[in-house]
Amino acid sequence: MTSVIEKRLREVQNNLGRNLAQSALKFETIKLSVDEPFTWASGYKMPIYNDNRKFLAVPSLRKEIAEAFAELLKVLEFFPNVIAGTATAGIPHATTLSDMLGLPLCYVRSSQKDHGLCNQIEGLSASSFSEKTVLVVEDLISTGSSSINACKAITDVGGKVPYCFAIFSYGMQKATDAFASLSPSCIPISIMTYDIMLDEALKTKYINEEELVALKDWKASPFTWWEDRQKK
């Protein structure tokens, strides 16, 4: 990716991503709590919780998300043959984007069904992916496991997945490394970045300076953050 494209991507994130961050905090699709952290499904204590499903209730925000995805595609000059949503959270946003662009849509399950045709990819036959370029759409990139699973499922049937788009990303190094390790590699890109979200949270006084430091510490070491904080 050239420096010019990277600069233009940052401009989109700083504009459309910042607007979306404001909405995320307003509609509580993102919640921040340093002193009373959330317990994730993994059991880890984390100071952030993201529920992008709340965007579904607001038609204007669904449209805003799809338009931002479309803008990212223009910047990248990437014109996919197929839009693929991750099941289940990526499906509605992939649907809105595919309708907007007039492109075929499919979705990718976390694993193959154990009955019927035993499909993992729904909407298109496996044979139809040969040499096709595909954009995978996710709602959130955390560690990246669900997104990477979808990318692998598509490449295994001959599709090409150079990019994975998400509404929001925590920016974890674990996810970046995992996407880079794919063969061929895939670049994850989110509309809203973690740093932009924090900046908006501070501006609106959702958090204070002390909480900002703690939330930056979390990004640097998310899986030891709470334990390290208890020692202070």
Side-chain angles (χ1 to χ4, degrees):
M1 189 182 299
T2 68
S3 59
V4 173
I5 291 178
E6 288 179 345
K7 179 181 178 182
R8 291 182 62 195
L9 285 174
R10 287 194 297 270
E11 288 173 352
V12 172
Q13 291 168 329
N14 197 48
N15 181 13
L16 302 182
R18 193 170 294 279
N19 291 340
L20 194 59
Q22 294 169 3
S23 297
L25 294 168
K26 176 182 177 181
F27 290 98
E28 296 188 325
T29 71
I30 291 176
K31 290 186 176 183
L32 304 171
S33 180
V34 170
D35 294 328
E36 297 182 15
F38 307 95
T39 302
W40 284 12
S42 61
Y44 286 101
K45 296 286 187 180
M46 305 294 202
I48 183 169
Y49 186 76
N50 178 229
D51 183 5
N52 286 327
R53 288 165 295 192
K54 291 187 176 182
F55 281 131
L56 300 179
V58 188
S60 61
L61 290 178
R62 296 200 308 269
K63 181 181 178 183
E64 183 179 323
I65 289 166
E67 289 175 340
F69 283 149
E71 190 62 29
L72 291 174
L73 288 173
K74 288 180 184 178
V75 170
L76 293 167
E77 296 184 351
F78 175 51
F79 308 103
N81 302 121
V82 178
I83 304 296
T86 57
T88 56
I91 295 174
H93 302 292
T95 301
T96 306
L97 179 61
S98 64
D99 285 347
M100 180 181 293
L101 300 178
L103 291 174
L105 170 72
C106 67
Y107 71 86
V108 186
R109 299 176 181 274
S110 58
S111 61
Q112 288 184 323
K113 292 192 298 183
D114 60 3
H115 60 280
L117 298 179
C118 300
N119 292 333
Q120 183 173 4
I121 302 173
E122 301 284 9
L124 291 172
S125 64
S127 60
S128 65
F129 282 93
S130 180
E131 298 302 309
K132 292 289 196 303
T133 54
V134 182
L135 173 69
V136 168
V137 174
E138 178 68 278
D139 77 322
L140 168 70
I141 294 177
S142 177
T143 60
S145 59
S146 63
S147 310
I148 286 166
N149 182 61
C151 293
K152 284 182 176 178
I154 292 169
T155 56
D156 283 349
V157 294
K160 299 178 180 179
V161 189
Y163 302 103
C164 175
F165 284 2
I167 297 171
F168 181 48
S169 171
Y170 294 136
M172 291 184 182
Q173 188 61 45
K174 183 176 181 179
T176 302
D177 293 342
F179 275 101
S181 70
L182 287 172
S183 183
S185 63
C186 175
I187 300 174
I189 301 173
S190 64
I191 303 168
M192 177 177 32
T193 68
Y194 185 74
D195 291 339
I196 284 175
M197 181 277 297
L198 287 185
D199 188 43
E200 286 303 313
L202 185 65
K203 283 182 179 179
T204 57
K205 301 188 187 312
Y206 188 108
I207 58 173
N208 56 37
E209 291 284 354
E210 183 178 344
E211 290 169 323
L212 177 65
V213 171
L215 288 160
K216 287 184 175 181
D217 288 344
W218 174 79
K219 181 183 176 183
S221 184
F223 300 104
T224 63
W225 173 81
W226 181 242
E227 183 179 339
D228 293 342
R229 189 169 174 81
Q230 295 299 98
K231 295 176 181 177
K232 292 181 178 179

Short mmCIF file of all heavy atoms in Angstrom, two decimals, residues 39 65 72 90 96 98 110 121 126 132 138 168 170-171 183 185 191 209 211 216 228:
data_model
loop_
_atom_site.label_atom_id
_atom_site.label_comp_id
_atom_site.label_asym_id
_atom_site.label_seq_id
_atom_site.Cartn_x
_atom_site.Cartn_y
_atom_site.Cartn_z
N THR A 39 -16.57 -7.94 31.64
CA THR A 39 -16.00 -9.28 31.51
C THR A 39 -16.37 -9.81 30.13
O THR A 39 -17.56 -10.00 29.83
CB THR A 39 -16.54 -10.23 32.59
OG1 THR A 39 -16.24 -9.70 33.89
CG2 THR A 39 -15.89 -11.60 32.45
N ILE A 65 -22.65 3.84 7.38
CA ILE A 65 -21.62 2.80 7.44
C ILE A 65 -21.32 2.26 6.04
O ILE A 65 -20.16 2.12 5.64
CB ILE A 65 -22.05 1.68 8.39
CG1 ILE A 65 -22.00 2.17 9.83
CG2 ILE A 65 -21.17 0.43 8.22
CD1 ILE A 65 -22.70 1.27 10.83
N LEU A 72 -13.98 3.81 1.26
CA LEU A 72 -12.71 3.11 1.46
C LEU A 72 -12.34 2.31 0.21
O LEU A 72 -11.17 2.26 -0.18
CB LEU A 72 -12.82 2.18 2.67
CG LEU A 72 -12.91 2.84 4.04
CD1 LEU A 72 -13.16 1.78 5.12
CD2 LEU A 72 -11.66 3.63 4.37
N GLY A 90 -21.68 -9.36 10.60
CA GLY A 90 -21.29 -8.66 9.38
C GLY A 90 -22.33 -8.71 8.29
O GLY A 90 -22.26 -7.93 7.32
N THR A 96 -26.26 -4.18 3.02
CA THR A 96 -26.48 -2.78 2.64
C THR A 96 -25.45 -2.33 1.62
O THR A 96 -25.79 -1.66 0.63
CB THR A 96 -26.41 -1.87 3.88
OG1 THR A 96 -27.31 -2.34 4.88
CG2 THR A 96 -26.79 -0.44 3.53
N SER A 98 -23.64 -4.29 -0.48
CA SER A 98 -23.81 -4.99 -1.75
C SER A 98 -25.00 -4.44 -2.52
O SER A 98 -24.96 -4.34 -3.76
CB SER A 98 -23.97 -6.50 -1.53
OG SER A 98 -25.14 -6.79 -0.80
N SER A 110 -19.19 -19.59 10.86
CA SER A 110 -17.96 -19.86 11.62
C SER A 110 -17.41 -21.25 11.31
O SER A 110 -16.21 -21.50 11.43
CB SER A 110 -18.21 -19.72 13.11
OG SER A 110 -19.24 -20.61 13.53
N ILE A 121 -20.03 -21.45 3.38
CA ILE A 121 -20.35 -20.22 2.67
C ILE A 121 -21.75 -20.36 2.10
O ILE A 121 -22.06 -21.33 1.39
CB ILE A 121 -19.35 -19.96 1.54
CG1 ILE A 121 -17.92 -19.87 2.10
CG2 ILE A 121 -19.70 -18.68 0.79
CD1 ILE A 121 -16.84 -19.78 1.04
N ALA A 126 -19.37 -22.92 -3.96
CA ALA A 126 -17.92 -22.87 -3.79
C ALA A 126 -17.21 -22.71 -5.13
O ALA A 126 -16.22 -21.98 -5.24
CB ALA A 126 -17.44 -24.13 -3.08
N LYS A 132 -12.25 -15.01 -8.21
CA LYS A 132 -13.08 -13.85 -7.88
C LYS A 132 -12.43 -13.06 -6.74
O LYS A 132 -11.87 -13.62 -5.82
CB LYS A 132 -14.48 -14.28 -7.46
CG LYS A 132 -15.32 -14.89 -8.55
CD LYS A 132 -15.76 -13.84 -9.55
CE LYS A 132 -16.92 -14.34 -10.43
NZ LYS A 132 -16.62 -15.57 -11.16
N GLU A 138 -16.92 -7.26 8.25
CA GLU A 138 -17.09 -7.64 9.65
C GLU A 138 -17.61 -6.43 10.41
O GLU A 138 -17.47 -5.30 9.94
CB GLU A 138 -15.73 -8.09 10.20
CG GLU A 138 -15.69 -8.47 11.65
CD GLU A 138 -16.45 -9.74 11.97
OE1 GLU A 138 -17.70 -9.61 12.11
OE2 GLU A 138 -15.84 -10.81 12.09
N PHE A 168 -15.42 -1.10 13.25
CA PHE A 168 -14.54 -0.66 14.33
C PHE A 168 -13.49 -1.72 14.59
O PHE A 168 -13.71 -2.92 14.37
CB PHE A 168 -15.38 -0.44 15.61
CG PHE A 168 -14.61 0.05 16.81
CD1 PHE A 168 -13.72 1.10 16.71
CD2 PHE A 168 -14.80 -0.55 18.05
CE1 PHE A 168 -13.02 1.55 17.83
CE2 PHE A 168 -14.12 -0.11 19.17
CZ PHE A 168 -13.22 0.95 19.06
N TYR A 170 -10.28 -2.65 17.55
CA TYR A 170 -9.55 -2.29 18.76
C TYR A 170 -8.08 -1.99 18.48
O TYR A 170 -7.39 -1.45 19.34
CB TYR A 170 -9.63 -3.43 19.78
CG TYR A 170 -11.02 -3.69 20.32
CD1 TYR A 170 -11.49 -4.99 20.45
CD2 TYR A 170 -11.84 -2.65 20.73
CE1 TYR A 170 -12.75 -5.25 20.96
CE2 TYR A 170 -13.11 -2.90 21.22
CZ TYR A 170 -13.56 -4.20 21.34
OH TYR A 170 -14.81 -4.44 21.85
N GLY A 171 -7.62 -2.36 17.30
CA GLY A 171 -6.22 -2.08 16.95
C GLY A 171 -5.23 -2.98 17.66
O GLY A 171 -4.08 -2.59 17.86
N SER A 183 -1.98 -16.43 4.00
CA SER A 183 -1.28 -16.60 2.72
C SER A 183 -2.31 -16.81 1.61
O SER A 183 -2.96 -17.85 1.54
CB SER A 183 -0.34 -17.80 2.79
OG SER A 183 0.37 -17.94 1.58
N SER A 185 -1.61 -12.62 2.30
CA SER A 185 -1.98 -11.77 3.43
C SER A 185 -3.22 -10.95 3.10
O SER A 185 -3.55 -10.72 1.93
CB SER A 185 -0.83 -10.85 3.81
OG SER A 185 -0.53 -9.96 2.76
N ILE A 191 -13.51 1.59 9.60
CA ILE A 191 -13.96 2.98 9.44
C ILE A 191 -13.52 3.79 10.65
O ILE A 191 -12.96 4.88 10.52
CB ILE A 191 -15.50 3.04 9.33
CG1 ILE A 191 -16.01 2.20 8.17
CG2 ILE A 191 -15.97 4.50 9.18
CD1 ILE A 191 -17.53 1.99 8.19
N GLU A 209 -8.73 12.65 31.40
CA GLU A 209 -7.34 12.40 30.99
C GLU A 209 -6.76 11.14 31.65
O GLU A 209 -6.02 10.38 31.02
CB GLU A 209 -6.47 13.61 31.34
CG GLU A 209 -6.76 14.86 30.52
CD GLU A 209 -6.20 14.78 29.11
OE1 GLU A 209 -5.50 13.79 28.81
OE2 GLU A 209 -6.45 15.70 28.31
N GLU A 211 -8.41 8.48 32.64
CA GLU A 211 -9.02 7.32 31.99
C GLU A 211 -8.44 7.11 30.60
O GLU A 211 -8.27 5.97 30.14
CB GLU A 211 -10.53 7.49 31.93
CG GLU A 211 -11.20 7.41 33.29
CD GLU A 211 -12.65 7.85 33.27
OE1 GLU A 211 -12.98 8.81 32.52
OE2 GLU A 211 -13.47 7.23 34.00
N LYS A 216 -5.32 3.74 26.88
CA LYS A 216 -4.16 3.57 26.00
C LYS A 216 -3.28 2.44 26.50
O LYS A 216 -2.73 1.67 25.71
CB LYS A 216 -3.37 4.87 25.89
CG LYS A 216 -4.07 5.94 25.05
CD LYS A 216 -3.20 7.18 24.89
CE LYS A 216 -3.86 8.19 23.97
NZ LYS A 216 -3.02 9.40 23.76
N ASP A 228 -2.33 -6.04 35.64
CA ASP A 228 -1.31 -5.02 35.87
C ASP A 228 -1.87 -3.84 36.65
O ASP A 228 -1.21 -3.29 37.53
CB ASP A 228 -0.74 -4.52 34.53
CG ASP A 228 0.05 -5.58 33.80
OD1 ASP A 228 0.44 -6.57 34.44
OD2 ASP A 228 0.24 -5.43 32.58
#
